[in-house]
Structures are given as C-alpha cells and as structure tokens.
Amino acid sequence: GTMIETPSVVFMADEIARHADFFSFGTNDLTQFPFKFSRDDAGNIVIPAYMGEVLAILGVDPFKTVDRVVGELVAIATALGKWANPDLEVGLCGEQGGDPKSITKYIIPAGLDYTSCSAFKVPVAKLAVVQKHLADKKAGRESVQMYDLSKLEAAAAKIDPVAVKKTEGIMLSNGKIDHM
C-alpha cells in the first residue's frame, strides 16, 4: 500500500491502485501542499487571519477539520483508486480522522473504509459515524453501500469508555466499527 500525501499522487491514484492493496491519506501533508503553509508555521498567525472576519477565506482550520479542497482530493483519489482496484482498502490517518465534521462531510461520503485518530477522539468519532448513518437512513439515502447499519448501531451500543481509552483508533471497514 501507499500513503497519499500530495496532490500529484491524487491524480495518479488509478495507476498506483493497480499495484497497491491499500491507500492511507496523510491529511496533514495533503493539507500543506494545496495551501502552501505548514501546520507549525501557520497555526498561530496565518490560519487565524484566514479564518478571521477580514479574510474569512477558510471556514475551519484545515489541520483540525478536513476542508473542501482536501475533501475533494480524498474523494477523487478514492474514486480513481477503487475504479482501478475494487478490492482497494482506503483510509485516512491523522487527527482529522476523529473530527465529526470531517467524518460526516468527507470521510463517509468519499467511501473510505477506515479512519484512525487519537484514543480520546474514538468515542466522538464512533458517535459521528452512527449519527451520519442514522440521519441518512431517516432521509431515505444510504451513506455508503459497504456499511451495514445494523452492525454500526450494535457496535455503538457496546461502546465501553474505559476500553476505548486504551485504543489507538477507529476502524470502519467491513461493515463494522472496531478498535485498531
């Protein structure tokens, strides 16, 4: 498998997928390239200015929540990769993988199989997944065909906060939520 961390690789995803078992999106790097700033350099000055009332270019801090540009890059690479290799497993690593807005707006709709995040974000991430699927079911639409809603609901009902603190991530693949 491979990490998908640059925009150029996104547009070659179909070629790469023919030789890979999995893709993992490194969203910190994938965010740095299109915006041309690093998380460390931009965090205290640039991002707040871009999110402020004067510039209001960014609606969210793109290093905390997947933004539209990176979300579209993830969706494009996922579609190209799964088109070329239907068995390709696709996931996202990084703190955005535990952000409810990222999960509901970009990760699930793009068809990713899993996401990982810090242990303290796992319960919030699980809740976001279940809420997205329930909202989609209520609206008469399916979030992603590969997910089995009954298994998601059952897994969410079994969340154990003590055990969750010991985990390192959340797995969404194969129609279930598991600890990684």
Side-chain angles (χ1 to χ4, degrees), residues 112-123:
L112 273 67
D113 301 301
Y114 69 91
T115 181
S116 65
C117 60
S118 297
F120 71 91
K121 288 189 173 184
V122 171

Side-chain angles (χ1 to χ4, degrees), residues 23-27 66 74 89-100 102-104 106-108 111-119 121-122 124-129 147 167-174 176-180:
F23 284 175
S24 181
F25 290 97
T27 54
V66 172
V74 167
E89 190 161 317
V90 182
L92 183 145
C93 66
E95 288 309 294
Q96 292 113 322
D99 174 64
S102 300
I103 291 168
T104 58
Y106 298 108
I107 295 170
I108 291 173
L112 273 67
D113 301 301
Y114 69 91
T115 181
S116 65
C117 60
S118 297
K121 288 189 173 184
V122 171
V124 174
K126 286 183 174 186
L127 183 60
V129 170
Y147 298 128
T167 65
E168 295 179 11
I170 176 174
M171 179 69 100
L172 307 177
S173 65
N174 302 322
K176 62 184 175 184
I177 299 175
D178 288 324
H179 301 289
M180 290 176 41

Side-chain angles (χ1 to χ4, degrees), residues 46-58:
V46 176
I47 291 176
Y50 276 70
M51 291 176 67
E53 291 180 23
V54 177
L55 292 174
I57 294 169
L58 297 175

